[in-house]
Amino acid sequence: MNILRRLAMAAFGTAAIFTINTLNQAAVAYKFDQTEIDQNSVVAVAVPRGLGGHQLLVLEQISKSRSCWSESGSNPVTIDPLLLNFDFTGLCGRATDSNGYSIRMAGTDLALKYSLSLQNNGSDVLLVGSPNDPNYQPVVIGRTRGVTSGLMKVFLDPEWRFAKRAYDGKTLGHFYLASNQSAPGSVNNGTDTPPITTAFKDISSDIYSKEIQQAVDLGFVAGFSDNTFRPQEALTREQLVSLVLESLKRVKGANLSIPTQVSSRPYSDVEASRWSAAKIKFAQDNKIVSGYEDGTFKPQQLVTRAEMMAVLRKAAEFGLTLQGQAPNLSPTQPVKTFSDTPNHWAASTINQMSSYCSVASPLNESGNQFFPDAGAKRNYAAAATLRMLNCVSK
């Protein structure tokens, strides 16, 4: 695949000048600002590389006189970079490496601290920000929503957007993958509001900080040895199983004992010796989770918000049976109407869980969208599981 090479050669002189400027700008990165841009004018593309893996390409539609790319299909959406067929000077912009794009979180330029990469997990290609400091955690920025052999569109997760770097009042060509949230491990909340006192240094500005702390105090979720909780870290299927089962041990009046080992694989891709195997087997036996038609469980696959609601509903029903009650989830409040779930496979489950102690709630507790296909993060997982536990234990 030589798409990136052809783009680079098409503007070699410009790229060389920009590289030199970037070296100078890096020394004063703390002075950079950002300029908001039209999200429909930019697209992130996962470009297959000849030796395997994918490279990130960012395309921008500067002028409407001629389309710079076309899109087709779904899950994933494929991209045809039309700008390869004409002189795109003044019409299209593009960035093919770290000279042209970087991460910015909570108003802080992280170009020198995080690098961007595309990682294939089998069912998706994830856009990931990887820290240079081992004490910090990777952050998932977007995903292709499927895998194919061609160029694929990368859909940014809801809390992320495109922006451009600005310096001394001037907008530069450098693209930001920007988020208002703090980087994992950061204590800067970007405001003058006194931080909430917590046991972790990275949740003081998190909207779920109080619920995270309560969940930790109850003992069904924990932080890490470096005194972080890593609220923005994506959740895997096996991690969700562990979180939910540990919470069920705290159901009022329940006496739940979960085995710590199994003698055989619960699924073909879950070894009996795996740390999560016994919990996955218990959750399987009690119909809290299920595997796939091919006999796999995919323990390390990331969980979507919709999938998490499906598991929490089953967990709540199981929790009621632990108390000798019928597994019927009685509404505690009106159903929340989400604008983006009516035709989704999990619509009824999301609606039900929204009326059950607000287990299902809008992304970051704002607006009327649930973002069912967005990745579930540790902060919301802790909060939603706590709400489920409290509702079951009433």
Side-chain angles (χ1 to χ4, degrees):
M1 177 62 65
N2 60 5
I3 295 292
L4 291 172
R5 185 181 304 169
R6 291 167 63 188
L7 284 168
M9 292 300 295
F12 176 77
T14 302
I17 293 172
F18 186 74
T19 300
I20 295 172
N21 288 340
T22 300
L23 293 175
N24 294 330
Q25 292 166 355
V28 291
Y30 63 91
K31 293 183 179 180
F32 286 145
D33 201 349
Q34 75 182 50
T35 300
E36 301 301 325
I37 61 177
D38 179 7
Q39 301 301 293
N40 294 322
S41 69
V42 190
V43 66
V45 186
V47 181
R49 291 187 295 204
L51 297 178
H54 293 80
Q55 173 67 38
L56 177 63
L57 165 68
V58 176
L59 298 177
E60 180 183 21
Q61 186 77 51
I62 298 174
S63 169
K64 296 182 179 179
S65 62
R66 193 164 185 178
S67 296
C68 301
W69 72 87
S70 65
E71 303 180 11
S72 61
S74 61
N75 299 322
V77 171
T78 58
I79 296 290
D80 181 4
L82 303 175
L83 76 171
L84 293 174
N85 303 321
F86 59 88
D87 180 0
F88 61 83
T89 304
L91 303 178
C92 312
R94 81 280 172 271
T96 61
D97 56 31
S98 59
N99 287 324
Y101 45 68
S102 61
I103 295 175
R104 185 181 180 92
M105 298 187 72
T108 301
D109 190 316
L110 300 176
L112 302 181
K113 295 183 178 181
Y114 279 77
S115 58
L116 287 161
S117 64
L118 289 161
Q119 301 177 14
N120 191 329
N121 69 358
S123 60
D124 236 344
V125 175
L126 305 178
L127 176 58
V128 178
S130 301
N132 299 326
D133 186 335
N135 293 320
Y136 281 64
Q137 289 300 304
V139 57
V140 178
I141 297 170
R143 63 202 67 231
T144 56
R145 300 178 183 173
V147 179
T148 188
S149 59
L151 281 70
M152 298 175 287
K153 180 176 181 177
V154 178
F155 292 86
L156 302 189
D157 282 0
E159 61 268 30
W160 292 88
R161 67 188 184 281
F162 292 105
K164 277 196 170 181
R165 179 180 281 173
Y167 179 69
D168 197 22
K170 297 180 180 179
T171 299
L172 306 178
H174 188 96
F175 293 99
Y176 279 136
L177 281 303
S179 171
N180 291 335
Q181 299 181 359
S182 297
S186 172
V187 297
N188 175 30
N189 61 10
T191 72
D192 295 325
T193 304
I196 297 171
T197 301
T198 67
F200 304 102
K201 60 186 180 182
D202 60 345
I203 67 170
S204 58
S205 62
D206 195 285
I207 193 169
Y208 298 110
S209 58
K210 290 183 179 180
E211 289 174 296
I212 291 171
Q213 192 60 55
Q214 291 173 27
V216 171
D217 292 342
L218 286 172
F220 67 81
V221 69
F224 298 86
S225 59
D226 60 353
N227 195 33
T228 63
F229 183 79
R230 305 172 191 174
Q232 290 301 306
E233 187 171 300
L235 201 69
T236 65
R237 283 169 59 82
E238 64 183 344
Q239 289 171 342
L240 177 61
V241 169
S242 179
L243 173 66
V244 167
L245 292 188
E246 289 299 320
S247 74
L248 290 174
K249 291 180 180 179
R250 279 77 181 173
V251 169
K252 184 178 180 180
N255 184 20
L256 180 62
S257 177
I258 300 173
T260 57
Q261 58 184 7
V262 290
S263 59
S264 60
R265 297 182 181 190
Y267 292 96
S268 62
D269 60 344
V270 179
E271 296 283 351
S273 59
R274 191 177 185 85
W275 71 268
S276 59
K279 289 182 176 180
I280 291 173
K281 176 62 173 173
F282 183 90
Q284 175 193 40
D285 290 344
N286 289 282
K287 296 181 173 54
I288 297 173
V289 298
S290 58
Y292 295 91
E293 292 182 357
D294 62 357
T296 64
F297 183 74
K298 301 179 183 178
Q300 292 185 297
Q301 180 170 293
L302 299 183
V303 178
T304 67
R305 287 164 58 89
E307 290 168 339
M308 185 171 71
M309 286 304 110
V311 173
L312 287 176
R313 179 174 68 85
K314 291 292 187 180
E317 293 171 345
F318 180 72
L320 291 175
T321 65
L322 291 175
Q323 298 177 313
Q325 301 182 48
N328 300 319
L329 307 187
S330 301
T332 62
Q333 61 195 56
V335 172
K336 172 71 175 179
T337 301
F338 297 106
S339 62
D340 58 347
T341 60
N343 297 318
H344 195 272
W345 67 265
S348 61
T349 295
I350 294 170
N351 289 342
Q352 181 181 24
M353 299 309 288
S354 74
S355 69
Y356 192 66
C357 293
S358 195
V359 174
S361 58
L363 182 72
N364 295 325
E365 307 302 308
S366 177
N368 67 344
Q369 291 182 285
F370 184 73
F371 291 97
D373 295 321
K377 306 294 178 64
R378 276 173 54 84
N379 58 355
Y380 181 51
T385 303
L386 176 68
R387 296 173 191 178
M388 180 275 293
L389 173 61
N390 289 338
C391 221
V392 170
S393 298
K394 283 184 176 180

